[in-house]
Amino acid sequence: MKDKVIISHPTGNMNVRAAVRALYGAGMLDSFHTCVACFEGGVVDSMAALPGLGELRRRRFDAELRPYTHTYPLREMGRQAAMKLGLAWLTRHEAGTFCIDRVYESVDRHVARYVRRHGGQAAAVYAYEDCAAETFRAAKSRGAACLYDLPIGYWRAMHRMLDAERGRNPEWAVTLGGFGDSEEKLRRKDTELAMADRIFVASTFTKSTLEEYPGGLADVEVIPYGFPVVNVGRLYRPFSGRRIKALFVGGLSQRKGLSYLFDAAGEFRREIELTVVGRGDAVRCPALARALGAVRYIPSLPHAEVLRLMAASDVLVFPSLFEGFGLVVTEAMSQGTPVVTTERTCGPDIITHGRDGWIVPAGQSEPLKELFARFAASPDMLQKAGREAMATASRRPWARYEEELREKLKVKD
């Protein structure tokens, strides 16, 4: 049976790694294509030991994938160097030689070339948003199926929802982003969707946004991501004599619902200590600068430190207005920390409201205030929900995502 799959992604983040493992575990992996891959004992691994290059180890992959992996490092290494050297003009959106758009397009072209030259035994290609158009064209020419992964909601729905938010909160509008893509880039997104034979998303919300696509689409499969390893050693501190520790982790954009979080938390300063971790443009947004001045603010932390901070917190609040999934939700729950999030994230797919977390309507402060009042009156409910969150996380490790994806990816002649 011709059942091999070619999969590509420029950076190979957590969900991509799980997809590659799913294919490898099923004997379905033809090849994996990315920008930079680090394998223990390899050249890139040795480079990572040099000063300033330690981040390369974030691109480390399992040793058994080495024979299947093809890398195209030039554009991505140029992008990383330009960012370290402060050469912003080289990474300017859609214009810079080493901008993320050029990185994605470069990988797409390389994979398309591979498909045309070596893809005769592959039944399908699996590609991600902004990195699929040329790959899909090549696959169509070889009679291979086009499998598309959309990691965030559809752009037309995002424009509609966030444009409305700009009108509601003009002082936060500068942080929204999401409106800078050229018409050419947006057409490319639509072209990728149109060519897809099957579409995979990680949340019901993302699937719902595709209803705004102006045309017919292939079947859309929802497969929520897995949870990180559960922190079984989590300890809960008594609430006597201290404030509730609330945490936000993410980019400091109004897309994350920040103004609503700050508004709600501002009324409970005596009861709740809010810590915010993430980067944002406080210079261009005075409202953000003022809000950060009233909370504990940490611009950046290594991932391991973020997990430790989650485990030291009582609740994660993630009131996003538009999210494909929201990995911080699963990360916090794996640490035994319950999450307050909205219906526009993975929340409805993995949280049982009132048991292991809470779902509130996006774009509103009052529901957050009501919850905060409940937490302040009965803080022990947070620890009960935290233990339930840990139990939920233990039932859906990344291996479960891999198993479900593997079943969906089985390709027949």
Side-chain angles (χ1 to χ4, degrees):
M1 179 182 290
K2 190 175 78 169
D3 61 354
K4 300 293 185 180
V5 178
I6 298 166
I7 183 169
S8 64
H9 190 275
T11 59
N13 51 30
M14 186 66 74
N15 50 295
V16 176
R17 291 164 187 262
V20 176
R21 286 196 302 267
L23 290 170
Y24 176 80
M28 297 168 62
L29 181 62
D30 172 279
S31 52
F32 168 51
H33 302 254
T34 190
C35 290
V36 179
C38 180
F39 297 98
E40 188 173 358
V43 175
V44 177
D45 193 43
S46 299
M47 291 173 59
L50 298 174
L53 296 180
E55 290 183 5
L56 289 174
R57 289 216 167 102
R58 296 178 64 184
R59 309 292 180 93
R60 178 173 278 178
F61 293 88
D62 297 337
E64 59 264 30
L65 297 178
R66 189 196 295 252
Y68 299 88
T69 303
H70 300 253
T71 58
Y72 315 104
L74 180 61
R75 294 272 184 175
E76 175 62 8
M77 295 297 282
R79 186 176 77 91
Q80 294 292 335
M83 290 192 298
K84 285 184 178 297
L85 295 171
L87 304 175
W89 58 277
L90 285 174
T91 60
R92 187 175 298 119
H93 181 62
E94 291 195 61
T97 302
F98 297 117
C99 69
I100 192 66
D101 306 279
R102 299 292 89 81
V103 172
Y104 272 59
E105 290 167 9
S106 174
V107 172
D108 191 17
R109 287 193 300 271
H110 280 292
V111 178
R113 191 175 302 122
Y114 175 92
V115 171
R116 292 189 180 97
R117 292 178 178 175
H118 309 290
Q121 296 304 308
V125 297
Y126 191 110
Y128 292 76
E129 184 184 33
D130 296 326
C131 193
E134 294 303 320
T135 299
F136 282 0
R137 290 189 183 98
K140 296 288 186 185
S141 73
R142 302 301 296 264
C146 297
L147 311 177
Y148 190 58
D149 196 302
L150 184 66
I152 194 168
Y154 179 51
W155 69 267
R156 292 178 193 271
M158 180 175 69
H159 281 197
R160 177 180 60 80
M161 293 180 186
L162 297 190
D163 192 48
E165 182 63 26
R166 287 198 295 190
R168 281 194 296 267
N169 280 293
E171 63 178 343
W172 288 85
V174 69
T175 72
L176 275 170
F179 295 91
D181 290 343
S182 66
E183 289 295 324
E184 179 182 358
K185 183 173 180 179
L186 298 177
R187 281 196 299 270
R188 179 186 174 96
K189 292 176 186 288
D190 281 354
T191 297
E192 291 174 343
L193 279 164
M195 287 193 290
D197 295 304
R198 295 173 70 190
I199 299 168
F200 296 90
V201 298
S203 69
T204 302
F205 171 68
T206 299
K207 180 177 181 178
S208 73
T209 66
L210 285 169
E211 295 173 6
E212 299 193 30
Y213 181 81
L217 287 175
D219 290 341
V220 181
E221 305 273 5
V222 179
I223 310 178
Y225 297 146
F227 287 79
V229 176
V230 173
N231 180 6
V232 294
R234 165 70 188 260
L235 297 176
Y236 292 97
R237 293 175 53 213
F239 288 100
S240 177
R242 71 175 181 89
R243 291 187 290 170
I244 293 168
K245 292 183 177 294
L247 176 66
F248 170 88
V249 178
L252 303 188
S253 161
Q254 181 62 2
R255 183 167 71 84
K256 306 294 186 180
L258 281 180
S259 73
Y260 305 107
L261 170 59
F262 288 130
D263 180 39
E267 294 194 10
F268 292 88
R269 289 195 179 96
R270 289 187 176 182
E271 298 87 358
I272 297 175
E273 176 190 6
L274 175 62
T275 297
V276 173
V277 179
R279 294 191 183 278
D281 194 348
V283 174
R284 295 177 61 216
C285 183
L288 175 59
R290 289 194 300 272
L292 292 177
V295 302
R296 180 187 178 211
Y297 174 49
I298 305 172
S300 179
L301 281 176
H303 185 250
E305 291 296 322
V306 170
L307 293 178
R308 277 192 278 273
L309 182 58
M310 287 176 170
S313 300
D314 300 307
V315 62
L316 179 89
V317 188
F318 190 67
S320 187
L321 307 181
F322 197 92
E323 204 74 35
F325 188 79
L327 287 172
V328 294
V329 175
T330 51
E331 289 172 344
M333 292 175 70
S334 77
Q335 300 305 303
T337 302
V339 176
V340 177
T341 190
T342 73
E343 79 283 8
R344 299 184 191 173
T345 70
C346 64
D349 296 289
I350 62 174
I351 290 174
T352 300
H353 178 74
R355 189 180 76 185
D356 54 8
W358 296 268
I359 310 295
V360 296
Q364 299 181 37
S365 299
E366 289 306 315
L368 286 172
K369 293 176 183 178
E370 291 171 10
L371 265 183
F372 288 174
R374 289 176 58 195
F375 297 161
S378 304
D380 287 342
M381 68 189 298
L382 291 168
Q383 295 185 356
K384 181 179 179 182
R387 292 187 176 93
E388 290 287 351
M390 211 166 358
T392 297
S394 68
R395 291 191 290 270
R396 190 175 180 81
W398 275 105
R400 177 83 175 272
Y401 169 81
E402 294 170 26
E403 177 185 339
E404 293 177 6
L405 181 60
R406 187 159 48 238
E407 287 301 310
K408 297 292 185 181
L409 285 175
K410 287 182 179 177
V411 181
K412 300 179 181 179
D413 285 326

